[in-house]
Amino acid sequence: MQIAEVLDEAAAPPERTSPLGLDQYIAGRTLVSGDGPAWNDLFVQVYSRRDKQEPFLVPAVAEPLIVWVKSGEAIVEERELGGDWVANTVMIGDFFLTRSPTPYEMRWRSTGRAPFQVMHLYLSVPLFERVAKEVLGGDGPPALLDVSGGKDEQLSHLLALIHQELTAEGKGSQLFVQGLAQSLAVHLIRSYASNNTQDKRQTALPGFKLRRAVAFLEEHLADPFNLAQLAVTVGMSEFHFSRLFKKATGLSPSRYFIRRRVAKAQQLLQETDTSIIEIGMSVGYSSPSHFAQVFRRETGLPPSHYRRR
């Protein structure tokens, strides 16, 4: 094994890490960090990020994570491993929320003149679980919905107060920060707790939404793949839909779409005398060579050989 390969393996992020450990996997400069007794229930850091970040793996973190845009504008893209990139244009006040049990990929490109700065906030698991029990009752805390590029005035107000304490002399009042942390936990649980009581981990797309998504894809095989429209059809954000669709089917939405196109083409090749060019066009491929390339990749045979079988 080459030295470069050894170094790459050593630098590869793990599938899970801690809030403190995550910092080393995301490029940028730390501007301020919360420490001391006031910050027992919150782990907060403010970063200045690169103008352009190439794709990198974000390890899973057990704590609920909020990323709040403090300065600048950027196009931020996320995807499940091997899935479709989902883009969101974000600006000051927009936020991301995740408590992902699995790692995912991210990249971004700054589009404004101001530096791209974000605040990362992790809510401690004991506090989150304690507040969840008081607010909802029950045995365990709820799953939280994934939010990408969201807007929430009440959340922004709480985060602005936390940032104010973070940058205050003496690193903030312990009593005030604890109160803000509890208020933040209550807001997250009231506003972003999953309504899926049968599956609190939201491990897959609900059956009726999966059927609706598949039906939409089948009806639009001849059209270009449109993740945004597909997500709207089932009433979910693109990123959240992509993650749950892959968990339900084992394939990303775009990959599933290609498989359905090829399956339809196989049926037409076997059951009709329609020309191969027309079949390719009927499943969305205006270029015969592109259709043949995709078909061969998926089936191991060119369309003409498949028809003769």
Side-chain angles (χ1 to χ4, degrees), residues 51 72-76 89-91 108-114 116:
D51 288 340
E73 299 179 9
I75 298 173
V76 179
T89 300
V90 297
M91 58 190 67
W108 64 78
R109 175 171 56 85
S110 179
T111 56
R113 293 184 177 180
F116 186 44

Side-chain angles (χ1 to χ4, degrees), residues 200-220:
K200 292 186 178 180
R201 303 294 280 181
Q202 284 232 297
T203 55
L205 196 64
F208 76 96
K209 290 193 174 186
L210 177 61
R211 290 190 293 272
R212 188 182 301 168
V214 170
F216 179 88
L217 291 174
E218 292 287 351
E219 292 171 7
H220 295 84

